[in-house]
Amino acid sequence: MATLNKELLKSGFKFPEDLQVQEFPENLPERVIQFGEGNFLRAFVDWMFHQMNKNKLFNGRIVVVQPIAEGLVPRINEQDGLYTLILRGLKDGKPTELKEIISSVSRGINPYKDWDAYLKCAEDPHIEFVISNTTEAGIAYEKNDSLENKPPVSYPGKLTAYLYHRFRHFNGDAARGMVIIPCELIDRNGDNLKRIVLQLSDDWNLPEEFKKWVKEHNIFLNTLVDRVVTGYPRDEIKDILAKLGYEDELVDTGELFHLWVIEGPKELSERLPFTKVGLNVIWTDDMTPYRTRKVRILNGAHTSSVPAAFLYGLETVGEMMDHEVMGKYTRQIIYDEIIPSIDLDKGMLTEFADSVVERFQNPYIKHYLISILLNSSSKFKTRVLPSILEYKKLNGKLPEKLTFSMAALIAVYKDGHVEGSAMKTMREKGEFTMKDDLPALEFFENVWESFDGSKESAAKVAERVLANTAMWGEDLNNVEGLAEKVGDYLYQITKDGIKATVEKLI
Ligand SMILES: NC(=O)c1ccc[n+]([C@@H]2O[C@H](COP(=O)([O-])OP(=O)(O)OC[C@H]3O[C@@H](n4cnc5c(N)ncnc54)[C@H](O)[C@@H]3O)[C@@H](O)[C@H]2O)c1
Ligand SMILES: O=P(O)(O)OC[C@@H](O)[C@@H](O)[C@H](O)[C@H](O)CO
């Protein structure tokens, strides 16, 4: 089979009729530099720029930079930036599948191999937007990062090097400042990125004029992204490729729903006219309520339901929602515990929760629980713990199921052994690999080693986990009743099994 690339597009190849294929003029300039080449950005931002190009409203392409040494850039270049995106879900109540070849990406650069090509992008006056999604680990301050590194280790370090090169190349021209739009799911992503860029500029003794230029002529936006992206469809790839008729190692999949909330000046919506092509992009001067409802309800429901559902033996979010016990558990968590923990309009929260439940039930996508389990300990801190603490504050007692969900998460690491950078561990159904931050994995392995099956020792496990201030940002043993309840649930899970414990709970 021929591979998807520009040559195939021009060859007169007969693409399937239900696949949208559109060629743009070769000479569209690169206008966006994007850090990250993962599934999410390709199914969300790059898809959006493609929609604007189709309507001749942007007329520019995206140059993609690989933020870490290993990644997809070689493959992206082999396919001339082209890939197939499949979006599935219910539209107006009807099952719908949209298949499209996305051509908004011009090429990929691996800065670890081609630092000069990377810096050349800073000299290009057409490139005016920076996009990124480097996971929650990406917007991080690396104290030992250096401008001498080619490239600097961290994403903020790479961006600082880019901006400094641009500043020097254009002699501090105010008009050459960038609009920087991070998509990482951390709170106030733009503010944090700016803070780290300025911190590194200090660390690297960069000139005051440069810092002034960064502050005054570059705009860092805070954003919130929302679309379930299920990535490369490994289970059905053979069938998909047989229907497409060409080879594509970058096939990406996701749901139809999308929402991008951008906190920034309305004038920018003229330069980035997403809404003019019907995209669900909200420009706002306060993204906080959007973030709270999404992270606490959607991501919070995932992170609090998935450990128990996975231990129960289920594999996907769809299966979890359809399951008599786990479906009820998830809905109870959302409506009875997460919503009452959020101090925002209940009608608005319930409406959002209804749409989330519908999206979780999407029968046309497979969202694997094991991928949601990835890095669960840090996700629990930002996505679930605030609901536990605020529920207690507002209602004077602990939320039962969210408290149980903490025990279920701890139980995921029971009997685990760290091997390399992951953990081999067990559920009733058999062995699996748990991926998390290495210190977190080592900590859980160590904590469980002293467990002897007794109630006292389950309480000890809970107490030690709750005392991990590096993990939770505080000693959770100070939250009245939490250690006792988590210990009790842990004991029940280890003695009676996850199934009996959840069944009793709902
Ligand atoms: N998949 C979804 O449904 C979805 C939806 C909304 C938001 N997100 C967020 O997007 C992020 C990426 O998801 P994805 O599905 O594209 O994953 P992915 O594995 O396909 O891509 C991850 C990207 O992050 C980069 N990266 C990984 N570790 C990094 C590090 N330490 N420093 C810098 N860059 C690093 C990789 O190079 C790659 O470009 C996730 O953290 C998630 O929170 C995902
Ligand atoms: O992507 P993660 O691993 O940060 O979190 C897992 C899911 O909660 C997440 O991908 C959601 O599906 C997504 O945030 C929806 O917009």
Side-chain angles (χ1 to χ4, degrees), residues 136 185 226-228 294 298-299 302 367 372 379 383:
E136 278 145 304
L185 265 190
D226 193 2
R227 164 170 273 175
V228 173
K294 192 247 169 172
L298 189 154
N299 300 108
H302 269 160
H367 198 182
I372 295 173
K379 288 184 202 166
R383 303 176 181 187

Side-chain angles (χ1 to χ4, degrees), residues 145 163 218 221 251-252 267 376 483 485:
D145 219 350
L163 293 174
N218 290 265
L221 301 175
V251 176
D252 203 0
E267 307 84 80
S376 274
K485 266 197 191 298

Side-chain angles (χ1 to χ4, degrees), residues 70-325:
E70 296 302 317
L72 294 173
V73 155
R75 192 64 211 170
I76 286 177
N77 287 332
E78 274 161 42
Q79 295 190 192
D80 299 318
L82 301 169
Y83 58 93
T84 316
L85 178 66
I86 305 176
L87 301 174
R88 293 162 170 160
L90 284 177
K91 194 174 178 206
D92 304 325
K94 278 199 221 119
T96 305
E97 181 177 71
L98 301 179
K99 291 195 257 179
E100 186 159 21
I101 293 180
I102 305 299
S103 55
S104 52
V105 173
S106 54
R107 63 187 166 126
I109 296 177
N110 180 350
Y112 292 80
K113 293 208 166 131
D114 201 351
W115 180 239
D116 291 343
Y118 173 68
L119 284 187
K120 266 267 166 261
C121 294
E123 298 175 11
D124 184 341
H126 296 108
I127 300 186
E128 46 187 326
F129 301 103
V130 175
I131 297 282
S132 65
N133 197 347
T134 55
T135 76
E136 278 145 304
I139 300 191
Y141 170 55
E142 291 285 341
K143 203 163 166 278
N144 297 322
D145 219 350
S146 159
L147 191 58
E148 305 307 314
N149 291 338
K150 294 182 171 126
V153 181
S154 65
Y155 160 51
K158 292 181 183 76
L159 179 61
T160 308
Y162 178 94
L163 293 174
Y164 186 50
H165 190 80
R166 191 170 179 90
F167 168 80
R168 290 208 304 177
H169 182 78
F170 291 110
N171 296 314
D173 184 351
R176 296 292 161 235
M178 307 284 297
V179 177
I180 298 158
I181 320 179
C183 298
E184 286 81 354
L185 265 190
I186 59 165
D187 196 14
R188 307 207 67 76
N189 42 22
D191 293 347
N192 277 298
L193 184 55
K194 183 175 182 177
R195 180 181 49 78
I196 302 172
V197 165
L198 290 171
Q199 175 70 55
L200 290 172
S201 308
D202 277 340
D203 295 358
W204 298 349
N205 294 318
L206 300 182
E208 282 306 316
E209 305 84 73
F210 168 66
K211 285 185 260 176
K212 194 162 177 281
W213 179 81
V214 170
K215 285 186 210 155
E216 292 178 6
H217 305 298
N218 290 265
I219 307 174
F220 290 76
L221 301 175
N222 293 303
T223 79
L224 172 79
V225 296
D226 193 2
R227 164 170 273 175
V228 173
V229 172
T230 36
Y232 186 73
R234 55 192 157 93
D235 285 355
E236 21 162 15
I237 192 68
K238 270 199 186 136
D239 284 354
I240 289 175
L241 294 182
K243 283 187 196 137
L244 292 173
Y246 55 81
E247 222 27 274
D248 179 356
E249 285 185 24
L250 296 171
V251 176
D252 203 0
T253 61
E255 64 175 340
L256 293 170
F257 176 92
H258 67 279
L259 169 65
W260 197 2
V261 181
I262 307 179
E263 191 180 278
K266 293 270 181 317
E267 307 84 80
L268 273 179
S269 62
E270 293 298 316
R271 284 169 71 188
L272 291 169
F274 296 115
T275 51
K276 289 210 172 115
V277 293
L279 294 168
N280 194 14
V281 175
I282 297 178
W283 294 87
T284 174
D285 52 14
D286 182 12
M287 56 164 283
T288 311
Y290 295 100
R291 181 185 149 81
T292 305
R293 78 172 189 185
K294 192 247 169 172
V295 172
R296 296 270 291 279
I297 296 180
L298 189 154
N299 300 108
H302 269 160
T303 303
S304 55
S305 305
V306 164
F310 187 77
L311 291 178
Y312 208 103
L314 309 183
E315 305 298 341
T316 66
V317 173
E319 262 179 56
M320 174 175 90
M321 296 309 285
D322 292 344
H323 192 271
E324 204 187 334
V325 175

